[in-house]
């Protein structure tokens, strides 16, 4: 599927539900082989998380890079970030970083675990890194295919 066009479609659907502006400048006609519904769910989970954990006046960025036939789909926010010692745990079911704020931020702790499952079922990988100067960048790594 054409990841560039698909991403544009998903962003136009979810933008109205988020307070933050979504910015993206992505390479056109980048193709991947992944289940459409799985990819849709992962993108939505990443964007919803960015929206939940970022100030309403901040921006969310989508970047897609291609290197050695591997696509790195990234959603970066300007939120509270993920402590280094928590990065592996956030993809586990029901895990919430700040237990004291769990009632303030809606969610069950399942979204990132579901994203991880969808990625694994499609021979892809998810992980999180720091966004400089603050926030998090969630990555989905998948193989590219020739268009």
């Amino acid at each position: 599927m054409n990841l560039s066009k698909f991403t544009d479609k998903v962003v136009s659907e979810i933008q109205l539900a988020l307070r933050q502006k979504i910015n993206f400048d992505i390479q056109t006609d980048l193709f991947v082989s992944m289940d459409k519904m799985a990819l849709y769910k992962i993108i939505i989970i990443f964007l919803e998380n960015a929206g939940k954990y970022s100030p309403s006046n901040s921006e969310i960025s989508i970047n897609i890079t291609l290197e050695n036939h591997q696509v790195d789909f990234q959603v970066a926010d300007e939120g509270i970030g993920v402590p280094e010692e928590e990065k592996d745990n956030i993809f586990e079911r029901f895990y919430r970083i700040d237990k004291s704020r769990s009632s303030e931020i809606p969610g069950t702790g399942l979204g990132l675990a579901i994203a991880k499952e969808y990625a694994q079922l499609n021979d892809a990988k998810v992980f999180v890194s720091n966004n400089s100067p603050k926030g998090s960048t969630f990555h989905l790594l998948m193989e590219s295919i020739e268009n």
Side-chain angles (χ1 to χ4, degrees):
M1 95 178 80
N2 185 321
L3 179 60
S4 311
K5 289 181 181 176
F6 188 74
T7 301
D8 187 44
K9 179 180 179 264
V10 175
V11 168
S12 67
E13 288 177 10
I14 194 169
Q15 180 61 81
L16 294 174
L18 295 175
R19 298 169 296 174
Q20 300 85 353
K21 181 178 186 233
I22 302 173
N23 294 315
F24 64 101
D25 182 20
I26 54 179
Q27 180 180 338
T28 58
D29 297 329
L30 191 57
F31 289 83
V32 295
S33 178
M34 189 164 177
D35 178 77
K36 246 183 197 178
M37 186 53 70
L39 181 58
Y40 179 84
K41 293 283 191 186
I42 293 169
I43 293 171
I44 293 294
I45 289 167
F46 282 4
L47 289 171
E48 285 179 342
N49 266 359
K52 274 197 274 190
Y53 292 98
S54 299
S56 59
N57 63 345
S58 66
E59 294 184 355
I60 298 169
S61 299
I62 297 176
N63 298 303
I64 302 175
T65 60
L66 173 63
E67 189 174 321
N68 297 327
H69 301 288
Q70 189 158 46
V71 175
D72 184 359
F73 181 93
Q74 306 166 18
V75 173
D77 64 51
E78 299 171 352
I80 59 177
V82 178
E84 201 61 42
E85 65 275 6
E86 305 279 352
K87 287 184 177 167
D88 289 334
N89 298 331
I90 62 170
F91 293 99
E92 300 304 319
R93 293 174 56 199
F94 304 114
Y95 190 82
R96 303 288 304 267
I97 289 178
D98 188 347
K99 313 301 188 257
S100 65
R101 292 180 57 195
S102 289
S103 61
E104 294 175 28
I105 299 174
T108 60
L110 284 173
L112 293 174
I114 291 169
K116 179 182 173 183
E117 276 295 314
Y118 278 130
Q120 289 175 336
L121 289 170
N122 285 274
D123 297 320
K125 179 180 163 186
V126 293
F127 67 95
V128 64
S129 65
N130 295 331
N131 185 25
S132 205
K134 66 178 181 174
S136 300
T137 302
F138 285 85
H139 301 258
L140 170 63
L141 294 178
M142 57 197 142
E143 294 296 316
S144 72
I145 58 172
E146 301 300 318
N147 52 0

